[in-house]
Short mmCIF file of all heavy atoms in Angstrom, two decimals:
data_model
loop_
_atom_site.label_atom_id
_atom_site.label_comp_id
_atom_site.label_asym_id
_atom_site.label_seq_id
_atom_site.Cartn_x
_atom_site.Cartn_y
_atom_site.Cartn_z
N TYR A 66 86.85 99.56 120.82
CA TYR A 66 86.43 98.99 122.10
C TYR A 66 87.02 97.59 122.27
O TYR A 66 87.20 96.86 121.29
CB TYR A 66 84.91 98.90 122.17
CG TYR A 66 84.20 100.23 122.09
CD1 TYR A 66 84.01 100.87 120.87
CD2 TYR A 66 83.73 100.86 123.24
CE1 TYR A 66 83.37 102.10 120.78
CE2 TYR A 66 83.07 102.09 123.17
CZ TYR A 66 82.90 102.70 121.94
OH TYR A 66 82.26 103.91 121.86
N ALA A 67 87.30 97.24 123.52
CA ALA A 67 87.78 95.90 123.86
C ALA A 67 86.64 95.10 124.46
O ALA A 67 85.86 95.62 125.26
CB ALA A 67 88.94 96.00 124.84
N TYR A 68 86.57 93.81 124.08
CA TYR A 68 85.54 92.94 124.64
C TYR A 68 86.15 91.57 124.93
O TYR A 68 86.69 90.91 124.04
CB TYR A 68 84.37 92.79 123.67
CG TYR A 68 83.22 91.99 124.24
CD1 TYR A 68 82.40 92.53 125.23
CD2 TYR A 68 82.96 90.70 123.80
CE1 TYR A 68 81.34 91.81 125.77
CE2 TYR A 68 81.90 89.97 124.33
CZ TYR A 68 81.10 90.53 125.31
OH TYR A 68 80.05 89.80 125.84
N GLY A 69 86.11 91.16 126.18
CA GLY A 69 86.69 89.89 126.60
C GLY A 69 87.53 90.09 127.85
O GLY A 69 88.19 91.13 128.01
N GLU A 70 87.48 89.12 128.74
CA GLU A 70 88.18 89.27 130.02
C GLU A 70 89.68 89.47 129.85
O GLU A 70 90.29 90.33 130.49
CB GLU A 70 87.92 88.04 130.90
CG GLU A 70 86.50 87.97 131.44
CD GLU A 70 86.35 86.86 132.46
OE1 GLU A 70 87.37 86.40 132.99
OE2 GLU A 70 85.20 86.47 132.74
N ALA A 71 90.30 88.68 128.98
CA ALA A 71 91.75 88.74 128.84
C ALA A 71 92.22 90.07 128.27
O ALA A 71 93.09 90.74 128.83
CB ALA A 71 92.25 87.59 127.98
N ILE A 72 91.62 90.47 127.14
CA ILE A 72 92.10 91.70 126.51
C ILE A 72 91.78 92.92 127.37
O ILE A 72 92.55 93.89 127.42
CB ILE A 72 91.54 91.85 125.08
CG1 ILE A 72 92.32 92.95 124.34
CG2 ILE A 72 90.05 92.11 125.08
CD1 ILE A 72 92.09 92.97 122.86
N CYS A 73 90.67 92.89 128.09
CA CYS A 73 90.37 94.00 129.00
C CYS A 73 91.41 94.07 130.12
O CYS A 73 91.85 95.15 130.52
CB CYS A 73 88.97 93.85 129.58
SG CYS A 73 87.65 94.32 128.42
N LYS A 74 91.82 92.91 130.61
CA LYS A 74 92.85 92.88 131.65
C LYS A 74 94.16 93.45 131.13
O LYS A 74 94.87 94.16 131.85
CB LYS A 74 93.04 91.45 132.14
CG LYS A 74 94.00 91.32 133.31
CD LYS A 74 94.09 89.88 133.80
CE LYS A 74 95.04 89.76 134.99
NZ LYS A 74 95.13 88.35 135.47
N TRP A 75 94.49 93.14 129.87
CA TRP A 75 95.72 93.69 129.28
C TRP A 75 95.71 95.22 129.30
O TRP A 75 96.76 95.85 129.36
CB TRP A 75 95.85 93.25 127.82
CG TRP A 75 96.07 91.80 127.60
CD1 TRP A 75 96.24 90.82 128.54
CD2 TRP A 75 96.14 91.13 126.33
NE1 TRP A 75 96.41 89.60 127.95
CE2 TRP A 75 96.35 89.75 126.59
CE3 TRP A 75 96.04 91.56 125.02
CZ2 TRP A 75 96.47 88.82 125.57
CZ3 TRP A 75 96.15 90.63 124.00
CH2 TRP A 75 96.37 89.27 124.28
N LEU A 76 94.50 95.80 129.22
CA LEU A 76 94.36 97.25 129.05
C LEU A 76 93.85 97.96 130.30
O LEU A 76 93.42 99.11 130.22
CB LEU A 76 93.42 97.52 127.87
CG LEU A 76 93.88 96.97 126.52
CD1 LEU A 76 92.78 97.10 125.48
CD2 LEU A 76 95.14 97.68 126.06
N SER A 77 93.88 97.27 131.44
CA SER A 77 93.40 97.85 132.70
C SER A 77 91.94 98.27 132.61
O SER A 77 91.52 99.28 133.20
CB SER A 77 94.26 99.07 133.10
OG SER A 77 95.61 98.71 133.23
N LEU A 78 91.15 97.50 131.89
CA LEU A 78 89.73 97.77 131.74
C LEU A 78 88.92 96.69 132.45
O LEU A 78 89.38 95.55 132.61
CB LEU A 78 89.34 97.81 130.26
CG LEU A 78 90.02 98.88 129.40
CD1 LEU A 78 89.68 98.68 127.93
CD2 LEU A 78 89.61 100.28 129.86
N GLN A 79 87.72 97.03 132.86
CA GLN A 79 86.83 96.08 133.52
C GLN A 79 85.91 95.45 132.49
O GLN A 79 85.10 96.14 131.87
CB GLN A 79 86.00 96.79 134.60
CG GLN A 79 85.12 95.87 135.42
CD GLN A 79 85.92 94.90 136.27
OE1 GLN A 79 86.90 95.29 136.91
NE2 GLN A 79 85.51 93.64 136.29
N HIS A 80 86.03 94.15 132.30
CA HIS A 80 85.19 93.47 131.31
C HIS A 80 83.73 93.51 131.72
O HIS A 80 83.38 93.26 132.87
CB HIS A 80 85.64 92.02 131.16
CG HIS A 80 84.75 91.20 130.28
ND1 HIS A 80 84.47 91.55 128.97
CD2 HIS A 80 84.07 90.05 130.52
CE1 HIS A 80 83.65 90.64 128.45
NE2 HIS A 80 83.40 89.72 129.36
N ASP A 81 82.88 93.85 130.76
CA ASP A 81 81.43 93.89 130.97
C ASP A 81 80.79 93.06 129.86
O ASP A 81 80.97 93.35 128.68
CB ASP A 81 80.95 95.34 130.90
CG ASP A 81 79.46 95.48 131.23
OD1 ASP A 81 78.70 94.51 131.02
OD2 ASP A 81 79.06 96.56 131.68
N LEU A 82 80.04 92.03 130.24
CA LEU A 82 79.43 91.15 129.25
C LEU A 82 78.52 91.89 128.28
O LEU A 82 78.41 91.53 127.11
CB LEU A 82 78.63 90.05 129.94
CG LEU A 82 79.37 88.76 130.33
CD1 LEU A 82 78.43 87.83 131.08
CD2 LEU A 82 79.93 88.06 129.10
N LYS A 83 77.88 92.95 128.75
CA LYS A 83 76.89 93.64 127.94
C LYS A 83 77.45 94.83 127.16
O LYS A 83 76.81 95.28 126.20
CB LYS A 83 75.73 94.12 128.81
CG LYS A 83 74.93 92.98 129.42
CD LYS A 83 73.72 93.51 130.19
CE LYS A 83 72.88 92.35 130.74
NZ LYS A 83 71.69 92.85 131.46
N LEU A 84 78.62 95.31 127.56
CA LEU A 84 79.12 96.52 126.91
C LEU A 84 80.64 96.50 126.76
O LEU A 84 81.37 96.53 127.75
CB LEU A 84 78.72 97.75 127.74
CG LEU A 84 78.96 99.10 127.08
CD1 LEU A 84 78.08 99.24 125.83
CD2 LEU A 84 78.67 100.23 128.06
N PRO A 85 81.15 96.46 125.53
CA PRO A 85 82.59 96.57 125.30
C PRO A 85 83.13 97.88 125.87
O PRO A 85 82.41 98.89 125.95
CB PRO A 85 82.70 96.55 123.77
CG PRO A 85 81.49 95.78 123.33
CD PRO A 85 80.41 96.21 124.28
N GLN A 86 84.41 97.86 126.25
CA GLN A 86 85.02 99.00 126.92
C GLN A 86 85.85 99.83 125.95
O GLN A 86 86.68 99.29 125.21
CB GLN A 86 85.90 98.51 128.07
CG GLN A 86 85.15 97.68 129.10
CD GLN A 86 84.04 98.48 129.77
OE1 GLN A 86 84.30 99.47 130.46
NE2 GLN A 86 82.80 98.06 129.55
N GLN A 87 85.64 101.13 125.97
CA GLN A 87 86.36 101.99 125.03
C GLN A 87 87.84 102.07 125.38
O GLN A 87 88.23 102.17 126.55
CB GLN A 87 85.78 103.41 125.03
CG GLN A 87 86.44 104.31 123.99
CD GLN A 87 85.78 105.67 123.87
OE1 GLN A 87 84.75 105.92 124.49
NE2 GLN A 87 86.37 106.55 123.08
N ILE A 88 88.67 102.04 124.34
CA ILE A 88 90.12 102.19 124.48
C ILE A 88 90.44 103.64 124.15
O ILE A 88 90.52 104.03 122.98
CB ILE A 88 90.86 101.23 123.54
CG1 ILE A 88 90.40 99.79 123.79
CG2 ILE A 88 92.38 101.35 123.74
CD1 ILE A 88 90.89 98.80 122.76
N HIS A 89 90.63 104.46 125.16
CA HIS A 89 90.70 105.90 124.95
C HIS A 89 91.95 106.33 124.18
O HIS A 89 91.91 107.34 123.45
CB HIS A 89 90.63 106.62 126.30
CG HIS A 89 89.29 106.49 126.97
ND1 HIS A 89 88.17 107.17 126.54
CD2 HIS A 89 88.88 105.72 128.01
CE1 HIS A 89 87.13 106.85 127.29
NE2 HIS A 89 87.54 105.97 128.20
N ILE A 90 93.03 105.59 124.30
CA ILE A 90 94.25 105.97 123.59
C ILE A 90 94.06 105.87 122.07
O ILE A 90 94.78 106.49 121.29
CB ILE A 90 95.45 105.10 124.04
CG1 ILE A 90 96.76 105.74 123.59
CG2 ILE A 90 95.32 103.68 123.53
CD1 ILE A 90 97.99 105.04 124.13
N LEU A 91 93.03 105.11 121.65
CA LEU A 91 92.77 104.93 120.21
C LEU A 91 91.59 105.77 119.72
O LEU A 91 91.17 105.62 118.58
CB LEU A 91 92.51 103.46 119.91
CG LEU A 91 93.66 102.49 120.20
CD1 LEU A 91 93.24 101.06 119.90
CD2 LEU A 91 94.91 102.86 119.40
N LYS A 92 91.08 106.65 120.56
CA LYS A 92 89.94 107.48 120.15
C LYS A 92 90.31 108.32 118.94
O LYS A 92 91.38 108.93 118.88
CB LYS A 92 89.50 108.38 121.31
CG LYS A 92 88.28 109.24 120.97
CD LYS A 92 87.80 110.02 122.17
CE LYS A 92 86.68 111.00 121.79
NZ LYS A 92 85.55 110.34 121.12
N ASP A 93 89.41 108.34 117.97
CA ASP A 93 89.57 109.10 116.72
C ASP A 93 90.72 108.58 115.85
O ASP A 93 91.13 109.25 114.90
CB ASP A 93 89.77 110.59 116.99
CG ASP A 93 88.54 111.22 117.64
OD1 ASP A 93 87.42 110.80 117.29
OD2 ASP A 93 88.71 112.10 118.50
N LYS A 94 91.25 107.40 116.19
CA LYS A 94 92.28 106.78 115.36
C LYS A 94 91.60 105.83 114.38
O LYS A 94 90.77 105.01 114.77
CB LYS A 94 93.27 105.98 116.22
CG LYS A 94 94.12 106.82 117.16
CD LYS A 94 95.28 107.44 116.41
CE LYS A 94 96.25 108.12 117.37
NZ LYS A 94 97.40 108.72 116.65
N LYS A 95 91.94 105.93 113.11
CA LYS A 95 91.40 105.00 112.12
C LYS A 95 92.34 103.81 112.01
O LYS A 95 93.51 103.94 111.66
CB LYS A 95 91.26 105.67 110.76
CG LYS A 95 90.64 104.75 109.71
CD LYS A 95 90.48 105.44 108.37
CE LYS A 95 89.88 104.48 107.35
NZ LYS A 95 89.73 105.11 106.01
N ILE A 96 91.82 102.63 112.33
CA ILE A 96 92.62 101.42 112.32
C ILE A 96 92.52 100.76 110.94
O ILE A 96 91.43 100.51 110.45
CB ILE A 96 92.16 100.45 113.42
CG1 ILE A 96 92.41 101.08 114.79
CG2 ILE A 96 92.87 99.11 113.31
CD1 ILE A 96 91.84 100.30 115.94
N ILE A 97 93.67 100.47 110.34
CA ILE A 97 93.66 99.85 109.02
C ILE A 97 94.15 98.41 109.04
O ILE A 97 93.96 97.68 108.06
CB ILE A 97 94.49 100.67 108.01
CG1 ILE A 97 95.96 100.71 108.41
CG2 ILE A 97 93.94 102.06 107.85
CD1 ILE A 97 96.85 101.29 107.33
N GLN A 98 94.77 97.98 110.14
CA GLN A 98 95.19 96.59 110.23
C GLN A 98 95.28 96.16 111.69
O GLN A 98 95.75 96.92 112.54
CB GLN A 98 96.55 96.37 109.55
CG GLN A 98 96.91 94.89 109.39
CD GLN A 98 98.29 94.68 108.79
OE1 GLN A 98 99.01 95.64 108.48
NE2 GLN A 98 98.69 93.43 108.65
N VAL A 99 94.80 94.95 111.97
CA VAL A 99 94.92 94.33 113.29
C VAL A 99 95.49 92.94 113.09
O VAL A 99 95.04 92.19 112.23
CB VAL A 99 93.56 94.22 114.01
CG1 VAL A 99 93.72 93.54 115.36
CG2 VAL A 99 92.92 95.60 114.18
N ASP A 100 96.49 92.58 113.88
CA ASP A 100 97.04 91.22 113.83
C ASP A 100 97.40 90.82 115.25
O ASP A 100 97.56 91.68 116.13
CB ASP A 100 98.26 91.16 112.91
CG ASP A 100 98.54 89.74 112.42
OD1 ASP A 100 97.79 88.81 112.79
OD2 ASP A 100 99.52 89.55 111.67
N SER A 101 97.54 89.52 115.48
CA SER A 101 97.82 89.07 116.84
C SER A 101 98.73 87.86 116.84
O SER A 101 98.80 87.10 115.87
CB SER A 101 96.52 88.73 117.57
OG SER A 101 95.81 87.70 116.90
N GLY A 102 99.46 87.70 117.96
CA GLY A 102 100.33 86.56 118.16
C GLY A 102 99.82 85.71 119.30
O GLY A 102 98.62 85.72 119.62
N SER A 103 100.72 84.99 119.95
CA SER A 103 100.33 84.06 120.99
C SER A 103 99.71 84.75 122.19
O SER A 103 98.76 84.26 122.78
CB SER A 103 101.55 83.25 121.44
OG SER A 103 101.23 82.39 122.50
#
Side-chain angles (χ1 to χ4, degrees):
Y66 298 79
Y68 185 72
E70 289 189 18
I72 194 167
C73 283
K74 185 177 181 180
W75 293 356
L76 299 171
S77 302
L78 299 173
Q79 184 66 44
H80 174 56
D81 185 334
L82 272 176
K83 294 185 177 181
L84 190 64
Q86 302 298 296
Q87 184 174 354
I88 305 170
H89 292 286
I90 195 173
L91 298 178
K92 182 175 173 55
D93 296 324
K94 294 280 188 180
K95 183 179 179 181
I96 295 173
I97 63 170
Q98 191 184 0
V99 178
D100 201 0
S101 60
S103 177

